[in-house]
Amino acid sequence: MATDHLTSVDEALTQILAHARPVSGQDTLELDACLGRVLAGDYRVPMDVPPADNSAVDGYALHHRDAIAGAMLPVSGRIAAGEASGELAPGTAVRIFTGAEIPRGADTVIMQEHVERQDNHIILSRAAPAGNNIRPRGQDLAQGTVALHSGTRLRPQEIGLLASIGVAQVDVFRPLRVALLSTGDELVEPGMPLEPGQIYNTNRYTLKALLQQSGCRITLAETLKDSREATRRTLQQAARDTDLILTSGGVSVGEEDHVRQVLEQDGTLSLWRLAMKPGKPLAFGSFHGTPVLGLPGNPAAALVTFMMIALPWIRRCQGESGDALPRGEQLPAAFSHLKASPRREYLRARVEAGSAGPVVTCYPNQSSGMLSSACWAEGLAVVPENTTVNEGDTITYYSFRELMG
Ligand code: AMP
Ligand code: MG
């Protein structure tokens, strides 16, 4: 593969996503164990939610014909949430509480703040139209409709919605199995002393956390020496019963970059070197039929390329439907970036309050080796290819929360 050619980010994502196949296995889980998982099947609504018209407030249920300012009505009953509602005697009102079912014959509820209670009567301080303060049957979900479609990632609100239709067990796609390999003779695990020439293995921990946060199951986490043989052997082991091999480092142009070399010789290398900053050395291919995504070694580059390139692929393979690509926000830049580059730049950035609204500021040092910049940042600001940015220009911003949510 020619070393001078850089693939654009968009082209790379198109190529990589074309290889993404949703996992075929499913798990059936208790509802409270499904957070972050992806639904494998449509869920239909077996009954209207709410199942009956009910009161949105504490007050009095009556017929709107009687709901006239100044009217005095006898209170003929009392319905609390959870009780059967019965029938309203004409010309009367019934004491009712939030969530209680509306009695037959009533079509409006007046808030208790809008009546004066005198012994067993109420005097209305204002009129109320039909339907006032009533949450109609089926308002939230109508029987027979699809509450949630297959491919939906379950957030707390979707889990609550499934509970509201009585679902106790849920079919979800099984988690994606990922083998995580860090490469480099210089790497030492945290907790060990550092000898001259060594650095702590950072990516293993960043990537592990990113994979955990995105719902993957890590089947193997190994640190490889920079040797052809060790790389080949560990890739062979990693390729078994795994959906993705994710590596960091060793995919650049040097002779110590064995991941790229082994993929070229013993696997496939379909993509290498992106027009992306940070993240030029990025490889996509396969080894013994298992997809391999080789991320750059520099810690900030590994983080950014995971979020922008690996995550869309992972989402698609986890069965998530819809557009796998993240949605950015359009915001004014509070910085200038006057050096145009043929590579699309992702600046570690955050949103701050400007005099005329929110603006995007970026960390002053964007070195791909500096992870402190990513800890300061809350997202990534995009400088498109061959473009300069002047203060006030509108740019795309991806918040980490949106990317990882
Ligand atoms: P490489 O692509 O292997 O040449 O790595 C590029 C840079 O990233 C080098 O400075 C490496 O020392 C550094 N690097 C690679 N892997 C890691 C890692 N797991 N943790 C911290 N730094 C790393
Ligand atoms: Mg290396």
Side-chain angles (χ1 to χ4, degrees):
M1 196 170 285
T3 54
D4 53 348
H5 174 73
L6 299 184
T7 308
S8 76
V9 174
D10 294 334
E11 171 60 24
L13 279 168
T14 305
Q15 275 192 40
I16 289 174
L17 289 176
H19 286 88
R21 303 268 170 277
V23 295
S24 50
Q26 295 181 10
D27 294 327
T28 301
L29 299 180
E30 296 296 319
L31 181 58
D32 54 10
C34 292
L35 183 61
R37 303 292 291 268
V38 179
L39 271 190
D42 290 348
Y43 277 76
R44 277 187 190 279
V45 184
M47 72 292 171
D48 286 329
V49 180
D53 293 354
N54 68 90
S55 181
V57 296
D58 292 331
Y60 293 85
L62 61 164
H63 194 280
H64 77 274
R65 197 176 45 229
D66 301 324
I68 300 161
M72 186 179 204
L73 298 174
V75 178
S76 60
R78 182 180 190 280
I79 313 165
E83 290 177 353
S85 59
E87 187 146 3
L88 176 78
T92 73
V94 163
R95 178 76 173 120
I96 197 163
F97 297 91
T98 305
E101 292 188 5
I102 306 295
R104 285 187 304 283
D107 66 0
T108 187
V109 172
I110 190 154
M111 294 172 78
Q112 66 187 37
E113 291 83 345
H114 296 160
V115 305
E116 190 192 319
R117 178 97 190 216
Q118 285 184 355
D119 299 326
N120 212 23
H121 287 77
I122 51 169
I123 299 164
L124 280 58
S125 65
R126 60 182 73 182
N132 195 47
N133 292 321
I134 292 178
R135 301 189 289 213
R137 169 183 180 154
Q139 181 185 46
D140 191 5
L141 297 167
Q143 182 177 10
T145 57
V146 175
L148 292 174
H149 285 96
S150 188
T152 302
R153 184 174 292 278
L154 299 174
R155 302 171 297 170
Q157 51 270 50
E158 280 83 25
I159 290 185
L161 198 78
L162 290 170
S164 81
I165 59 171
V167 173
Q169 285 169 340
V170 190
D171 294 332
V172 292
F173 289 106
R174 71 159 170 78
L176 204 69
R177 298 162 308 183
V178 182
L180 179 62
L181 310 180
S182 336
T183 71
D185 283 345
E186 71 278 33
L187 302 179
V188 176
E189 296 307 309
M192 304 293 285
L194 272 191
E195 303 295 337
Q198 296 183 325
I199 58 168
Y200 284 118
N201 185 349
T202 304
N203 297 342
R204 173 179 175 142
Y205 297 89
T206 314
L207 293 171
K208 229 175 167 175
L210 286 164
L211 288 167
Q212 282 164 352
Q213 211 175 325
S214 44
C216 296
R217 192 158 71 78
I218 298 162
T219 52
L220 183 78
E222 293 276 323
T223 303
L224 302 191
K225 289 288 175 207
D226 287 321
S227 101
R228 183 80 49 95
E229 208 24 60
T231 305
R232 190 178 288 123
R233 203 171 344 104
T234 313
L235 280 175
Q236 262 161 13
Q237 187 194 351
R240 273 184 236 126
D241 300 325
T242 299
D243 302 304
L244 172 68
I245 301 171
L246 188 69
T247 67
S248 77
V251 288
S252 198
V253 290
E255 65 259 31
E256 294 289 2
D257 291 315
H258 297 286
V259 174
R260 171 186 51 80
Q261 295 181 32
V262 170
L263 285 183
E264 272 181 328
Q265 286 168 8
D266 303 325
T268 62
L269 182 66
S270 45
L271 190 73
W272 181 47
R273 289 167 54 87
L274 299 196
M276 178 175 182
K277 194 176 174 182
K280 183 163 65 172
L282 185 141
F284 184 72
S286 70
F287 193 83
H288 292 188
T290 301
V292 181
L293 189 54
L295 303 183
N298 277 309
L303 177 84
V304 170
T305 50
F306 180 91
M307 289 180 172
M308 300 311 303
I309 308 286
L311 206 48
W313 189 90
I314 288 173
R315 292 252 154 88
R316 191 59 70 77
C317 294
Q318 284 172 330
E320 209 172 308
S321 58
D323 193 356
L325 302 178
R327 261 187 310 236
E329 296 166 69
Q330 300 301 309
L331 287 166
F335 61 88
S336 298
H337 190 84
L338 301 176
K339 203 167 144 249
S341 160
R343 291 153 71 189
R344 186 182 300 177
E345 296 194 42
Y346 292 91
L347 307 175
R348 278 137 273 157
R350 67 187 187 195
V351 176
E352 289 179 355
S355 51
V359 291
V360 178
T361 52
C362 62
Y363 196 71
N365 189 328
Q366 294 286 330
S367 161
S368 60
M370 282 180 61
L371 207 48
S372 51
S373 60
C375 296
W376 173 93
E378 286 160 11
L380 300 172
V382 181
V383 179
E385 299 82 340
N386 307 310
T387 302
T388 57
V389 172
N390 287 295
E391 198 175 328
D393 287 355
T394 300
I395 55 162
T396 301
Y397 173 79
Y398 298 106
S399 77
F400 290 146
R401 204 170 303 192
E402 176 75 21
L403 287 169
M404 293 306 299

